[in-house]
Amino acid sequence: SAREAEARARADQRLRRQRDILRPLGFVVIAAVTIGAINGHPAPAAHGKGLGIAAALVVFAVSVALAASGSFVARSLAVQTSVVAAMGVAGVALVALQPRGATALAGGTAVWMAIARLPLPLGISVGGAVTIGLDLATVLAGGSTAVVVAETLLCVLLGLVAYFIKQARVSQDTTELLLAQLEDAREEQLRAAAVAERGRIAGELHDVLAHSLSGAAIQLQGARKLAAREQASPQVRAAIDRAGELVRDGLANARQAVGALRGEELPSVAQLESLVATFRTDMNADVTLTIEGTARTLPADASLALYRGAQEALTNVTRYAPGAAATVVLRYGSGHTTLTVEDRLAGLKPNAAGLDGVGGGNGLLGMRARLEQAGGTMQAGPTDTGWRVELDVPA
């Protein structure tokens, strides 16, 4: 998850920051061992034991420099193990060739690196082997028991310090990762509870609201037939037809709401073409769709607001201006997307065909509220030949 990725990224940053802080200490150790070897006996030279000391000193300095580099953490485990092992072998060789110098620090550095850089079981194995090698080299070189004990204690102390530093960092990394997983699990639990609740509400809506609207639609069909048989006035028939349209629209919206609660995909501007086609077929409306600019993916709330706005505006056209030609224009601008729905009724003056007062309907109020929730704006009003609605969202 994103939280786990962030926790792992912070852990990696802590590891690199810790190594950046300790890197100067590595170069100090190189300098101390080099100075001690140069001032020890026998000193580095081009022949005999001096040549062995010089070679061991070079191997130690190179291996410490590699282990202290920033790219060392990205290398494979085999490479890291080889570098630490070479450091330990160089330290043992320095102690064997120059037992009276400050070369024991080289072996202790190898133990530190083994515990700090390698996985714990492998680090303990390498560190133990280096410690045993230092003790054997000291004994073979004629060192006293006190010197052997001192070298062993030095290696153990450095290994313990490296272990505690490493464990403190690992514990913090593990704690942050567990907290991230806990937050993910909590969110997933809340999401599952929300899905279950939405499913329950969807079931209630489907059983109650959709059932009631379906019954109302059936009753209105009967009322329409009765009005035709009784030769009711055109106004009564028109009112029944309008009520039937409202019920059908409400039933369709209820089904879409139930689908949304159940997690089905919400309509968006990508379905504008099918919406316009539906109005052409079902309502026998003269509607055209034009898309300007380069299409792009919009935020879900903004896309849904534009789709619902077009649906409401076209419904108003068929309801209040039957026979009017309507145009739907979707314009992708720079930082904004605009949807315009305009109807034109040729030969009529402004506000003709029942257009007067449309802007005060609940449909436009709901449209405006939906646009404002998505951060957009709406403008609606009469034109010279009809009515115009413009929706704008910052997307």
Side-chain angles (χ1 to χ4, degrees), residues 351-377:
N351 299 332
L355 289 172
D356 191 17
V358 172
N362 292 328
L364 290 182
L365 291 177
M367 191 192 311
R368 190 184 302 275
R370 189 187 294 273
L371 260 294
E372 290 177 353
Q373 289 179 356
T377 58

mmCIF file with all atom_site columns, all heavy atoms in Angstrom, residues 351-377:
data_model
loop_
_atom_site.group_PDB
_atom_site.id
_atom_site.type_symbol
_atom_site.label_atom_id
_atom_site.label_alt_id
_atom_site.label_comp_id
_atom_site.label_asym_id
_atom_site.label_entity_id
_atom_site.label_seq_id
_atom_site.pdbx_PDB_ins_code
_atom_site.Cartn_x
_atom_site.Cartn_y
_atom_site.Cartn_z
_atom_site.occupancy
_atom_site.B_iso_or_equiv
_atom_site.pdbx_formal_charge
_atom_site.auth_seq_id
_atom_site.auth_comp_id
_atom_site.auth_asym_id
_atom_site.auth_atom_id
_atom_site.pdbx_PDB_model_num
ATOM 1   N N   . ASN A 1 351 ? -38.814 33.446 -23.760 1.00 0.00 ? 351 ASN A N   1
ATOM 2   C CA  . ASN A 1 351 ? -39.657 32.898 -22.696 1.00 0.00 ? 351 ASN A CA  1
ATOM 3   C C   . ASN A 1 351 ? -40.946 32.294 -23.244 1.00 0.00 ? 351 ASN A C   1
ATOM 4   O O   . ASN A 1 351 ? -41.915 32.099 -22.509 1.00 0.00 ? 351 ASN A O   1
ATOM 5   C CB  . ASN A 1 351 ? -39.997 33.954 -21.647 1.00 0.00 ? 351 ASN A CB  1
ATOM 6   C CG  . ASN A 1 351 ? -38.759 34.496 -20.986 1.00 0.00 ? 351 ASN A CG  1
ATOM 7   O OD1 . ASN A 1 351 ? -37.754 33.798 -20.902 1.00 0.00 ? 351 ASN A OD1 1
ATOM 8   N ND2 . ASN A 1 351 ? -38.818 35.732 -20.536 1.00 0.00 ? 351 ASN A ND2 1
ATOM 9   N N   . ALA A 1 352 ? -41.019 32.040 -24.560 1.00 0.00 ? 352 ALA A N   1
ATOM 10  C CA  . ALA A 1 352 ? -42.212 31.408 -25.098 1.00 0.00 ? 352 ALA A CA  1
ATOM 11  C C   . ALA A 1 352 ? -42.214 29.931 -24.768 1.00 0.00 ? 352 ALA A C   1
ATOM 12  O O   . ALA A 1 352 ? -41.248 29.365 -24.292 1.00 0.00 ? 352 ALA A O   1
ATOM 13  C CB  . ALA A 1 352 ? -42.259 31.603 -26.612 1.00 0.00 ? 352 ALA A CB  1
ATOM 14  N N   . ALA A 1 353 ? -43.348 29.295 -25.103 1.00 0.00 ? 353 ALA A N   1
ATOM 15  C CA  . ALA A 1 353 ? -43.514 27.848 -24.942 1.00 0.00 ? 353 ALA A CA  1
ATOM 16  C C   . ALA A 1 353 ? -43.283 27.392 -23.516 1.00 0.00 ? 353 ALA A C   1
ATOM 17  O O   . ALA A 1 353 ? -42.723 26.339 -23.266 1.00 0.00 ? 353 ALA A O   1
ATOM 18  C CB  . ALA A 1 353 ? -42.587 27.095 -25.891 1.00 0.00 ? 353 ALA A CB  1
ATOM 19  N N   . GLY A 1 354 ? -43.694 28.212 -22.569 1.00 0.00 ? 354 GLY A N   1
ATOM 20  C CA  . GLY A 1 354 ? -43.607 27.783 -21.179 1.00 0.00 ? 354 GLY A CA  1
ATOM 21  C C   . GLY A 1 354 ? -42.241 27.872 -20.576 1.00 0.00 ? 354 GLY A C   1
ATOM 22  O O   . GLY A 1 354 ? -42.005 27.317 -19.518 1.00 0.00 ? 354 GLY A O   1
ATOM 23  N N   . LEU A 1 355 ? -41.323 28.604 -21.212 1.00 0.00 ? 355 LEU A N   1
ATOM 24  C CA  . LEU A 1 355 ? -39.959 28.703 -20.675 1.00 0.00 ? 355 LEU A CA  1
ATOM 25  C C   . LEU A 1 355 ? -39.876 29.643 -19.490 1.00 0.00 ? 355 LEU A C   1
ATOM 26  O O   . LEU A 1 355 ? -38.944 29.578 -18.710 1.00 0.00 ? 355 LEU A O   1
ATOM 27  C CB  . LEU A 1 355 ? -38.992 29.174 -21.782 1.00 0.00 ? 355 LEU A CB  1
ATOM 28  C CG  . LEU A 1 355 ? -38.697 28.173 -22.878 1.00 0.00 ? 355 LEU A CG  1
ATOM 29  C CD1 . LEU A 1 355 ? -37.898 28.843 -23.984 1.00 0.00 ? 355 LEU A CD1 1
ATOM 30  C CD2 . LEU A 1 355 ? -37.997 26.956 -22.361 1.00 0.00 ? 355 LEU A CD2 1
ATOM 31  N N   . ASP A 1 356 ? -40.783 30.511 -19.343 1.00 0.00 ? 356 ASP A N   1
ATOM 32  C CA  . ASP A 1 356 ? -40.733 31.492 -18.271 1.00 0.00 ? 356 ASP A CA  1
ATOM 33  C C   . ASP A 1 356 ? -40.830 30.795 -16.912 1.00 0.00 ? 356 ASP A C   1
ATOM 34  O O   . ASP A 1 356 ? -41.741 29.995 -16.676 1.00 0.00 ? 356 ASP A O   1
ATOM 35  C CB  . ASP A 1 356 ? -41.882 32.484 -18.423 1.00 0.00 ? 356 ASP A CB  1
ATOM 36  C CG  . ASP A 1 356 ? -41.711 33.672 -17.488 1.00 0.00 ? 356 ASP A CG  1
ATOM 37  O OD1 . ASP A 1 356 ? -40.591 33.867 -17.004 1.00 0.00 ? 356 ASP A OD1 1
ATOM 38  O OD2 . ASP A 1 356 ? -42.716 34.378 -17.254 1.00 0.00 ? 356 ASP A OD2 1
ATOM 39  N N   . GLY A 1 357 ? -39.908 31.122 -16.041 1.00 0.00 ? 357 GLY A N   1
ATOM 40  C CA  . GLY A 1 357 ? -39.946 30.569 -14.693 1.00 0.00 ? 357 GLY A CA  1
ATOM 41  C C   . GLY A 1 357 ? -39.251 29.246 -14.527 1.00 0.00 ? 357 GLY A C   1
ATOM 42  O O   . GLY A 1 357 ? -39.267 28.680 -13.446 1.00 0.00 ? 357 GLY A O   1
ATOM 43  N N   . VAL A 1 358 ? -38.652 28.728 -15.598 1.00 0.00 ? 358 VAL A N   1
ATOM 44  C CA  . VAL A 1 358 ? -37.986 27.426 -15.478 1.00 0.00 ? 358 VAL A CA  1
ATOM 45  C C   . VAL A 1 358 ? -36.846 27.490 -14.479 1.00 0.00 ? 358 VAL A C   1
ATOM 46  O O   . VAL A 1 358 ? -36.590 26.559 -13.731 1.00 0.00 ? 358 VAL A O   1
ATOM 47  C CB  . VAL A 1 358 ? -37.477 26.967 -16.863 1.00 0.00 ? 358 VAL A CB  1
ATOM 48  C CG1 . VAL A 1 358 ? -36.629 25.718 -16.723 1.00 0.00 ? 358 VAL A CG1 1
ATOM 49  C CG2 . VAL A 1 358 ? -38.646 26.689 -17.779 1.00 0.00 ? 358 VAL A CG2 1
ATOM 50  N N   . GLY A 1 359 ? -36.136 28.605 -14.446 1.00 0.00 ? 359 GLY A N   1
ATOM 51  C CA  . GLY A 1 359 ? -34.963 28.714 -13.574 1.00 0.00 ? 359 GLY A CA  1
ATOM 52  C C   . GLY A 1 359 ? -35.276 28.587 -12.122 1.00 0.00 ? 359 GLY A C   1
ATOM 53  O O   . GLY A 1 359 ? -34.385 28.434 -11.301 1.00 0.00 ? 359 GLY A O   1
ATOM 54  N N   . GLY A 1 360 ? -36.527 28.690 -11.730 1.00 0.00 ? 360 GLY A N   1
ATOM 55  C CA  . GLY A 1 360 ? -36.842 28.584 -10.315 1.00 0.00 ? 360 GLY A CA  1
ATOM 56  C C   . GLY A 1 360 ? -37.186 27.195 -9.873  1.00 0.00 ? 360 GLY A C   1
ATOM 57  O O   . GLY A 1 360 ? -37.592 26.987 -8.732  1.00 0.00 ? 360 GLY A O   1
ATOM 58  N N   . GLY A 1 361 ? -37.068 26.209 -10.760 1.00 0.00 ? 361 GLY A N   1
ATOM 59  C CA  . GLY A 1 361 ? -37.432 24.842 -10.420 1.00 0.00 ? 361 GLY A CA  1
ATOM 60  C C   . GLY A 1 361 ? -36.422 24.180 -9.507  1.00 0.00 ? 361 GLY A C   1
ATOM 61  O O   . GLY A 1 361 ? -35.273 24.599 -9.373  1.00 0.00 ? 361 GLY A O   1
ATOM 62  N N   . ASN A 1 362 ? -36.891 23.107 -8.852  1.00 0.00 ? 362 ASN A N   1
ATOM 63  C CA  . ASN A 1 362 ? -36.002 22.379 -7.958  1.00 0.00 ? 362 ASN A CA  1
ATOM 64  C C   . ASN A 1 362 ? -34.882 21.683 -8.706  1.00 0.00 ? 362 ASN A C   1
ATOM 65  O O   . ASN A 1 362 ? -33.815 21.430 -8.151  1.00 0.00 ? 362 ASN A O   1
ATOM 66  C CB  . ASN A 1 362 ? -36.817 21.356 -7.166  1.00 0.00 ? 362 ASN A CB  1
ATOM 67  C CG  . ASN A 1 362 ? -37.775 22.019 -6.194  1.00 0.00 ? 362 ASN A CG  1
ATOM 68  O OD1 . ASN A 1 362 ? -37.486 23.089 -5.673  1.00 0.00 ? 362 ASN A OD1 1
ATOM 69  N ND2 . ASN A 1 362 ? -38.922 21.392 -5.964  1.00 0.00 ? 362 ASN A ND2 1
ATOM 70  N N   . GLY A 1 363 ? -35.139 21.325 -9.985  1.00 0.00 ? 363 GLY A N   1
ATOM 71  C CA  . GLY A 1 363 ? -34.093 20.661 -10.758 1.00 0.00 ? 363 GLY A CA  1
ATOM 72  C C   . GLY A 1 363 ? -32.859 21.519 -10.907 1.00 0.00 ? 363 GLY A C   1
ATOM 73  O O   . GLY A 1 363 ? -31.732 21.059 -10.715 1.00 0.00 ? 363 GLY A O   1
ATOM 74  N N   . LEU A 1 364 ? -33.052 22.797 -11.241 1.00 0.00 ? 364 LEU A N   1
ATOM 75  C CA  . LEU A 1 364 ? -31.912 23.695 -11.380 1.00 0.00 ? 364 LEU A CA  1
ATOM 76  C C   . LEU A 1 364 ? -31.238 23.954 -10.044 1.00 0.00 ? 364 LEU A C   1
ATOM 77  O O   . LEU A 1 364 ? -30.010 24.109 -9.971  1.00 0.00 ? 364 LEU A O   1
ATOM 78  C CB  . LEU A 1 364 ? -32.362 25.008 -12.016 1.00 0.00 ? 364 LEU A CB  1
ATOM 79  C CG  . LEU A 1 364 ? -32.754 24.936 -13.496 1.00 0.00 ? 364 LEU A CG  1
ATOM 80  C CD1 . LEU A 1 364 ? -33.142 26.316 -14.008 1.00 0.00 ? 364 LEU A CD1 1
ATOM 81  C CD2 . LEU A 1 364 ? -31.610 24.375 -14.323 1.00 0.00 ? 364 LEU A CD2 1
ATOM 82  N N   . LEU A 1 365 ? -32.019 24.006 -8.968  1.00 0.00 ? 365 LEU A N   1
ATOM 83  C CA  . LEU A 1 365 ? -31.419 24.198 -7.650  1.00 0.00 ? 365 LEU A CA  1
ATOM 84  C C   . LEU A 1 365 ? -30.532 23.003 -7.279  1.00 0.00 ? 365 LEU A C   1
ATOM 85  O O   . LEU A 1 365 ? -29.419 23.172 -6.773  1.00 0.00 ? 365 LEU A O   1
ATOM 86  C CB  . LEU A 1 365 ? -32.520 24.387 -6.599  1.00 0.00 ? 365 LEU A CB  1
ATOM 87  C CG  . LEU A 1 365 ? -33.320 25.689 -6.679  1.00 0.00 ? 365 LEU A CG  1
ATOM 88  C CD1 . LEU A 1 365 ? -34.418 25.697 -5.621  1.00 0.00 ? 365 LEU A CD1 1
ATOM 89  C CD2 . LEU A 1 365 ? -32.405 26.898 -6.505  1.00 0.00 ? 365 LEU A CD2 1
ATOM 90  N N   . GLY A 1 366 ? -31.040 21.787 -7.553  1.00 0.00 ? 366 GLY A N   1
ATOM 91  C CA  . GLY A 1 366 ? -30.226 20.606 -7.284  1.00 0.00 ? 366 GLY A CA  1
ATOM 92  C C   . GLY A 1 366 ? -28.985 20.567 -8.155  1.00 0.00 ? 366 GLY A C   1
ATOM 93  O O   . GLY A 1 366 ? -27.909 20.165 -7.708  1.00 0.00 ? 366 GLY A O   1
ATOM 94  N N   . MET A 1 367 ? -29.132 20.997 -9.423  1.00 0.00 ? 367 MET A N   1
ATOM 95  C CA  . MET A 1 367 ? -27.990 21.047 -10.331 1.00 0.00 ? 367 MET A CA  1
ATOM 96  C C   . MET A 1 367 ? -26.931 22.005 -9.807  1.00 0.00 ? 367 MET A C   1
ATOM 97  O O   . MET A 1 367 ? -25.736 21.701 -9.806  1.00 0.00 ? 367 MET A O   1
ATOM 98  C CB  . MET A 1 367 ? -28.466 21.486 -11.718 1.00 0.00 ? 367 MET A CB  1
ATOM 99  C CG  . MET A 1 367 ? -27.426 21.334 -12.817 1.00 0.00 ? 367 MET A CG  1
ATOM 100 S SD  . MET A 1 367 ? -27.928 22.183 -14.336 1.00 0.00 ? 367 MET A SD  1
ATOM 101 C CE  . MET A 1 367 ? -29.615 21.588 -14.536 1.00 0.00 ? 367 MET A CE  1
ATOM 102 N N   . ARG A 1 368 ? -27.369 23.173 -9.367  1.00 0.00 ? 368 ARG A N   1
ATOM 103 C CA  . ARG A 1 368 ? -26.421 24.171 -8.847  1.00 0.00 ? 368 ARG A CA  1
ATOM 104 C C   . ARG A 1 368 ? -25.706 23.641 -7.596  1.00 0.00 ? 368 ARG A C   1
ATOM 105 O O   . ARG A 1 368 ? -24.493 23.824 -7.438  1.00 0.00 ? 368 ARG A O   1
ATOM 106 C CB  . ARG A 1 368 ? -27.166 25.463 -8.513  1.00 0.00 ? 368 ARG A CB  1
ATOM 107 C CG  . ARG A 1 368 ? -26.237 26.631 -8.187  1.00 0.00 ? 368 ARG A CG  1
ATOM 108 C CD  . ARG A 1 368 ? -27.044 27.855 -7.762  1.00 0.00 ? 368 ARG A CD  1
ATOM 109 N NE  . ARG A 1 368 ? -27.984 28.253 -8.793  1.00 0.00 ? 368 ARG A NE  1
ATOM 110 C CZ  . ARG A 1 368 ? -27.659 29.042 -9.829  1.00 0.00 ? 368 ARG A CZ  1
ATOM 111 N NH1 . ARG A 1 368 ? -26.411 29.482 -9.953  1.00 0.00 ? 368 ARG A NH1 1
ATOM 112 N NH2 . ARG A 1 368 ? -28.569 29.371 -10.715 1.00 0.00 ? 368 ARG A NH2 1
ATOM 113 N N   . ALA A 1 369 ? -26.455 22.978 -6.714  1.00 0.00 ? 369 ALA A N   1
ATOM 114 C CA  . ALA A 1 369 ? -25.835 22.446 -5.499  1.00 0.00 ? 369 ALA A CA  1
ATOM 115 C C   . ALA A 1 369 ? -24.794 21.387 -5.834  1.00 0.00 ? 369 ALA A C   1
ATOM 116 O O   . ALA A 1 369 ? -23.710 21.340 -5.244  1.00 0.00 ? 369 ALA A O   1
ATOM 117 C CB  . ALA A 1 369 ? -26.916 21.859 -4.584  1.00 0.00 ? 369 ALA A CB  1
ATOM 118 N N   . ARG A 1 370 ? -25.103 20.525 -6.805  1.00 0.00 ? 370 ARG A N   1
ATOM 119 C CA  . ARG A 1 370 ? -24.144 19.485 -7.195  1.00 0.00 ? 370 ARG A CA  1
ATOM 120 C C   . ARG A 1 370 ? -22.880 20.101 -7.779  1.00 0.00 ? 370 ARG A C   1
ATOM 121 O O   . ARG A 1 370 ? -21.765 19.654 -7.514  1.00 0.00 ? 370 ARG A O   1
ATOM 122 C CB  . ARG A 1 370 ? -24.790 18.532 -8.198  1.00 0.00 ? 370 ARG A CB  1
ATOM 123 C CG  . ARG A 1 370 ? -23.963 17.292 -8.495  1.00 0.00 ? 370 ARG A CG  1
ATOM 124 C CD  . ARG A 1 370 ? -24.599 16.493 -9.621  1.00 0.00 ? 370 ARG A CD  1
ATOM 125 N NE  . ARG A 1 370 ? -25.889 15.946 -9.245  1.00 0.00 ? 370 ARG A NE  1
ATOM 126 C CZ  . ARG A 1 370 ? -26.050 14.782 -8.640  1.00 0.00 ? 370 ARG A CZ  1
ATOM 127 N NH1 . ARG A 1 370 ? -24.993 14.060 -8.330  1.00 0.00 ? 370 ARG A NH1 1
ATOM 128 N NH2 . ARG A 1 370 ? -27.255 14.338 -8.351  1.00 0.00 ? 370 ARG A NH2 1
ATOM 129 N N   . LEU A 1 371 ? -23.063 21.157 -8.608  1.00 0.00 ? 371 LEU A N   1
ATOM 130 C CA  . LEU A 1 371 ? -21.895 21.834 -9.200  1.00 0.00 ? 371 LEU A CA  1
ATOM 131 C C   . LEU A 1 371 ? -21.037 22.484 -8.126  1.00 0.00 ? 371 LEU A C   1
ATOM 132 O O   . LEU A 1 371 ? -19.792 22.425 -8.162  1.00 0.00 ? 371 LEU A O   1
ATOM 133 C CB  . LEU A 1 371 ? -22.373 22.881 -10.197 1.00 0.00 ? 371 LEU A CB  1
ATOM 134 C CG  . LEU A 1 371 ? -22.334 22.516 -11.688 1.00 0.00 ? 371 LEU A CG  1
ATOM 135 C CD1 . LEU A 1 371 ? -20.900 22.338 -12.163 1.00 0.00 ? 371 LEU A CD1 1
ATOM 136 C CD2 . LEU A 1 371 ? -23.135 21.275 -11.980 1.00 0.00 ? 371 LEU A CD2 1
ATOM 137 N N   . GLU A 1 372 ? -21.662 23.116 -7.148  1.00 0.00 ? 372 GLU A N   1
ATOM 138 C CA  . GLU A 1 372 ? -20.902 23.780 -6.084  1.00 0.00 ? 372 GLU A CA  1
ATOM 139 C C   . GLU A 1 372 ? -20.129 22.775 -5.250  1.00 0.00 ? 372 GLU A C   1
ATOM 140 O O   . GLU A 1 372 ? -19.005 23.051 -4.807  1.00 0.00 ? 372 GLU A O   1
ATOM 141 C CB  . GLU A 1 372 ? -21.859 24.591 -5.214  1.00 0.00 ? 372 GLU A CB  1
ATOM 142 C CG  . GLU A 1 372 ? -22.426 25.822 -5.919  1.00 0.00 ? 372 GLU A CG  1
ATOM 143 C CD  . GLU A 1 372 ? -23.438 26.564 -5.061  1.00 0.00 ? 372 GLU A CD  1
ATOM 144 O OE1 . GLU A 1 372 ? -23.793 26.030 -3.978  1.00 0.00 ? 372 GLU A OE1 1
ATOM 145 O OE2 . GLU A 1 372 ? -23.875 27.662 -5.470  1.00 0.00 ? 372 GLU A OE2 1
ATOM 146 N N   . GLN A 1 373 ? -20.687 21.596 -5.014  1.00 0.00 ? 373 GLN A N   1
ATOM 147 C CA  . GLN A 1 373 ? -19.956 20.565 -4.280  1.00 0.00 ? 373 GLN A CA  1
ATOM 148 C C   . GLN A 1 373 ? -18.713 20.116 -5.039  1.00 0.00 ? 373 GLN A C   1
ATOM 149 O O   . GLN A 1 373 ? -17.710 19.736 -4.435  1.00 0.00 ? 373 GLN A O   1
ATOM 150 C CB  . GLN A 1 373 ? -20.865 19.368 -4.021  1.00 0.00 ? 373 GLN A CB  1
ATOM 151 C CG  . GLN A 1 373 ? -21.958 19.628 -2.992  1.00 0.00 ? 373 GLN A CG  1
ATOM 152 C CD  . GLN A 1 373 ? -22.862 18.432 -2.784  1.00 0.00 ? 373 GLN A CD  1
ATOM 153 O OE1 . GLN A 1 373 ? -22.721 17.415 -3.454  1.00 0.00 ? 373 GLN A OE1 1
ATOM 154 N NE2 . GLN A 1 373 ? -23.800 18.558 -1.851  1.00 0.00 ? 373 GLN A NE2 1
ATOM 155 N N   . ALA A 1 374 ? -18.780 20.147 -6.364  1.00 0.00 ? 374 ALA A N   1
ATOM 156 C CA  . ALA A 1 374 ? -17.618 19.777 -7.181  1.00 0.00 ? 374 ALA A CA  1
ATOM 157 C C   . ALA A 1 374 ? -16.692 20.964 -7.432  1.00 0.00 ? 374 ALA A C   1
ATOM 158 O O   . ALA A 1 374 ? -15.734 20.839 -8.195  1.00 0.00 ? 374 ALA A O   1
ATOM 159 C CB  . ALA A 1 374 ? -18.090 19.196 -8.517  1.00 0.00 ? 374 ALA A CB  1
ATOM 160 N N   . GLY A 1 375 ? -16.998 22.120 -6.805  1.00 0.00 ? 375 GLY A N   1
ATOM 161 C CA  . GLY A 1 375 ? -16.161 23.309 -6.987  1.00 0.00 ? 375 GLY A CA  1
ATOM 162 C C   . GLY A 1 375 ? -16.459 24.083 -8.245  1.00 0.00 ? 375 GLY A C   1
ATOM 163 O O   . GLY A 1 375 ? -15.666 24.938 -8.648  1.00 0.00 ? 375 GLY A O   1
ATOM 164 N N   . GLY A 1 376 ? -17.602 23.811 -8.887  1.00 0.00 ? 376 GLY A N   1
ATOM 165 C CA  . GLY A 1 376 ? -17.941 24.482 -10.135 1.00 0.00 ? 376 GLY A CA  1
ATOM 166 C C   . GLY A 1 376 ? -19.014 25.542 -9.960  1.00 0.00 ? 376 GLY A C   1
ATOM 167 O O   . GLY A 1 376 ? -19.449 25.860 -8.843  1.00 0.00 ? 376 GLY A O   1
ATOM 168 N N   . THR A 1 377 ? -19.435 26.108 -11.083 1.00 0.00 ? 377 THR A N   1
ATOM 169 C CA  . THR A 1 377 ? -20.455 27.158 -11.090 1.00 0.00 ? 377 THR A CA  1
ATOM 170 C C   . THR A 1 377 ? -21.472 26.847 -12.187 1.00 0.00 ? 377 THR A C   1
ATOM 171 O O   . THR A 1 377 ? -21.211 26.064 -13.102 1.00 0.00 ? 377 THR A O   1
ATOM 172 C CB  . THR A 1 377 ? -19.834 28.533 -11.345 1.00 0.00 ? 377 THR A CB  1
ATOM 173 O OG1 . THR A 1 377 ? -19.123 28.505 -12.602 1.00 0.00 ? 377 THR A OG1 1
ATOM 174 C CG2 . THR A 1 377 ? -18.859 28.915 -10.240 1.00 0.00 ? 377 THR A CG2 1
#
